[in-house]
Amino acid sequence: MSFGPPPSVYTASAQSADKTRVRRRRRLLGGVAAAVVAGALVIGAVALWPSSGDDQKNAATVKQAPDEVSETHEKPPASLDGELGVQHDEEKLTSDTRYGPGLWATDTLAVRGVRNRLEGYKYTPGYDTTAWSLTLDGHLCATSRDMTADHRTAVVVQPDHSGGSGDDAVCDEVVMVDLDTGKKLWQRTIPGADFAYVTNTNLALTKGVVAIAWGHGSAAYDMANGKKLWGASTAADCQDQGYAGGRALLALVKCGRSGDATYRVQKLDARTGKPRWTYQVSKGVQGVYLPSADPPVLAVEAGDIDVTDLITLDGTDGHRAATISMSGYEPLCGASVSYFGVLDKCPGLVVGRDRLYVMSKESFGEDEPADRIVAFDVEKGIMKGKFEGRPFQNVVPLRADGDNLILYRRSMDTIRPAAVVAWNSGTDKETPYLYFHLPEDEEPPLSDPERSHIVYAHGHVFFAPREMERDDKDAKIPVLSVLGVGSVGPKH
């Protein structure tokens, strides 16, 4: 079975760009490598953060409807010492790269998308327990970053068309899955998806709706029963490239050919697909990403192949609120694997309700922070605080939680562990959640947001490589697929 469109200049250049990005972010630590036993997880780390008292009161839990996109509230666990709770390996890897485009976390499971299947793993300290496994009709083409409050998500699949007249590389099947049980709730063939490939298909969830676009057409489905709600044909002059979901649905519309294309962003009525407002992106912009629908945030490539600016919009009428230069920052929009739906995924950027948080570029000075996370006011675009890493210990923004940012800081040695921390940019208070060490051989790729999914939810942090490759010296050695860490104390 083929995976993606037939080989072309586009796919070859995308793969070359991926390798260049990975090389750019790899760095040698010289003599500061951690002296940690390979494959072991060190617990009982020394606490290096002061307690922040009651700064967790800022994010009260709000009860959500089952079909809303999940927004969980976190609180510090009883113990800050981390223990291994999930460690699953992929076996029988061929010489080809095996891709892992999805990672979701419920209160009891880590769910992983790999190749042509989804699997749920129980959080069980000391054990590798597979709760369920769902084999799909073909390779995963696109995944949502989100799930519903009752733990459902959708994926786009590239089914096997080899027995018919269709293109074997077309991604024309959408599947809704219960992440608690692994049950396939419904699946539909997407009409008119003749040019939907793994390189251009994007998927988003908002309340009650699954929306898919591939630059040559679009389709939206009722989340409950799979009924098609609306869509666009390939004949239109302007086409939806993809969507950002969550509390609202935002569409990126492209008009014209790549050389002189123009873009506009629209807030849609999710049930009908009709625009509520439109923002016209300036001419000359080469690319646009949608890291957030509510508040609306655009990441634009203006005169460069990298993101040059963030543009925040007013959610009521779509007028521009602020422009934030990304000089010196790395939002990493589109910088991970260049397929599986990248339009709304920026692993170096997190958007909260009134703050956005972005990673700075790396610094390699021995006495300088490896990088920092800077908070900006969404409405005004002004800086509202910064959280600095430590020498050779990068910090990565993971998700917003009320007024807090939950972030990850990588380890450096047995004395300085990795950590998950909640940071309030308004008060500059830091609340530690977990201290732990990752296995030494796995720590560099797992700590790099371009090379690994990193998800924190319900007191657990999970790491999953975006790509898995076998060891050429011994192809029989399994390759790590997902690793999870939680508190050794009583569960909250």
Side-chain angles (χ1 to χ4, degrees):
M1 178 182 293
S2 62
F3 184 46
S8 66
V9 174
Y10 174 80
T11 54
S13 63
Q15 292 168 357
S16 175
D18 288 342
K19 294 177 181 178
T20 300
R21 293 175 183 122
V22 169
R23 286 197 299 268
R24 185 186 71 217
R25 290 188 57 80
R26 285 177 179 166
R27 58 191 175 96
L28 298 176
L29 297 183
V32 300
V36 182
V37 177
L41 188 88
V42 179
I43 64 174
V46 177
L48 301 179
W49 256 289
S51 173
S52 65
D54 60 356
D55 58 308
Q56 290 304 303
K57 295 179 180 179
N58 65 78
T61 301
V62 177
K63 186 173 178 59
Q64 292 187 281
D67 61 351
E68 289 184 305
V69 170
S70 177
E71 296 184 49
T72 62
H73 168 55
E74 304 294 333
K75 58 184 179 181
S79 171
L80 304 182
D81 293 335
E83 65 177 344
L84 182 64
V86 173
Q87 184 170 354
H88 185 80
D89 299 332
E90 283 287 296
E91 299 180 346
K92 300 179 181 179
L93 267 71
T94 66
S95 58
D96 297 325
T97 298
R98 186 170 294 181
Y99 295 98
L103 178 65
W104 304 266
T106 73
D107 52 344
T108 58
L109 298 176
V111 179
R112 178 77 160 118
V114 177
R115 202 178 184 183
N116 66 337
R117 71 185 191 279
L118 299 174
E119 287 188 341
Y121 308 110
K122 292 182 181 179
Y123 189 88
T124 310
Y127 296 92
D128 179 10
T129 306
T130 301
W132 56 261
S133 183
L134 174 63
T135 300
L136 303 165
D137 292 342
H139 287 287
L140 289 162
C141 280
T143 62
S144 171
R145 61 187 179 181
D146 296 317
M147 65 180 179
T148 63
D150 63 354
H151 305 162
R152 291 172 292 152
T153 198
V155 296
V156 175
V157 176
Q158 180 191 79
D160 185 357
H161 294 288
S162 58
S165 59
D167 186 346
D168 197 31
V170 169
C171 302
D172 63 354
E173 183 177 283
V174 55
V175 183
M176 194 76 184
V177 180
D178 184 325
L179 297 178
D180 290 322
T181 65
K183 180 181 179 181
K184 187 184 295 185
L185 301 174
W186 53 260
Q187 73 178 48
R188 299 289 183 269
T189 298
I190 306 170
D194 297 340
F195 297 99
Y197 298 120
V198 71
T199 51
N200 64 358
T201 302
N202 288 279
L203 167 72
L205 306 181
T206 190
K207 183 177 181 180
V209 175
V210 178
I212 308 151
W214 54 95
H216 299 275
S218 60
Y221 296 87
D222 188 300
M223 193 179 282
N225 53 31
K227 178 183 176 182
K228 186 181 176 186
L229 298 173
W230 49 269
S233 70
T234 58
D237 295 331
C238 298
Q239 289 286 349
D240 291 359
Q241 302 298 295
Y243 307 102
R247 293 184 292 267
L249 187 65
L250 219 59
L252 175 66
V253 184
K254 179 181 178 181
C255 300
R257 297 184 178 182
S258 297
D260 56 356
T262 60
Y263 296 91
R264 60 177 183 253
V265 173
Q266 295 180 323
K267 183 175 181 178
L268 304 183
D269 181 305
R271 303 297 299 184
T272 65
K274 294 181 179 180
R276 293 181 174 177
W277 52 251
T278 298
Y279 173 81
Q280 187 68 48
V281 180
S282 299
K283 291 183 178 180
V285 168
Q286 284 75 41
V288 181
Y289 298 91
L290 302 178
S292 175
D294 182 13
V297 178
L298 288 59
V300 301
E301 298 171 347
D304 204 337
I305 61 172
D306 294 319
V307 169
T308 55
D309 300 277
L310 301 181
I311 298 174
T312 67
L313 307 179
D314 182 276
T316 303
D317 60 11
H319 76 264
R320 186 184 67 83
T323 300
I324 305 169
S325 171
M326 287 292 98
S327 176
Y329 296 97
E330 285 198 305
L332 302 181
C333 301
S336 56
V337 176
S338 298
Y339 10 85
F340 308 118
V342 300
L343 185 71
D344 61 345
K345 298 180 178 72
C346 299
L349 170 67
V350 165
V351 180
R353 290 188 179 271
D354 57 5
R355 295 280 190 277
L356 62 83
Y357 310 88
V358 62
M359 266 184 3
S360 73
K361 292 186 179 296
E362 288 182 296
S363 171
F364 303 104
E366 293 184 5
D367 298 322
E368 299 177 3
D371 70 345
R372 57 185 54 82
I373 297 170
V374 179
F376 291 92
D377 182 282
V378 167
E379 183 178 349
K380 299 178 180 179
I382 59 176
M383 190 175 78
K384 286 293 186 177
K386 62 182 178 180
F387 186 102
E388 294 193 335
R390 297 174 178 174
F392 306 108
Q393 290 184 268
N394 302 63
V395 285
V396 179
L398 300 183
R399 48 169 283 214
D401 183 7
D403 294 334
N404 287 341
L405 171 71
I406 298 176
L407 60 92
Y408 167 71
R409 190 182 69 184
R410 68 180 297 176
S411 64
M412 190 176 79
D413 51 34
T414 54
I415 304 301
R416 285 160 285 194
V420 174
V421 184
W423 171 56
N424 186 305
S425 62
T427 63
D428 201 30
K429 287 185 177 181
E430 306 164 17
T431 303
Y433 281 178
L434 287 174
Y435 296 111
F436 56 96
H437 278 281
L438 298 175
E440 181 183 12
D441 291 346
E442 306 289 353
E443 193 276 339
L446 292 183
S447 294
D448 185 342
E450 283 192 274
R451 301 165 67 187
S452 178
H453 305 278
I454 308 174
V455 173
Y456 184 86
H458 303 287
H460 304 138
V461 60
F462 298 98
F463 302 83
R466 299 178 187 274
E467 301 180 27
M468 288 157 281
E469 296 180 354
R470 71 175 186 178
D471 187 340
D472 290 334
K473 296 179 181 179
D474 189 348
K476 295 181 180 179
I477 297 177
V479 176
L480 180 67
S481 175
V482 60
L483 186 148
V485 180
S487 171
V488 300
K491 307 306 176 189
H492 60 264

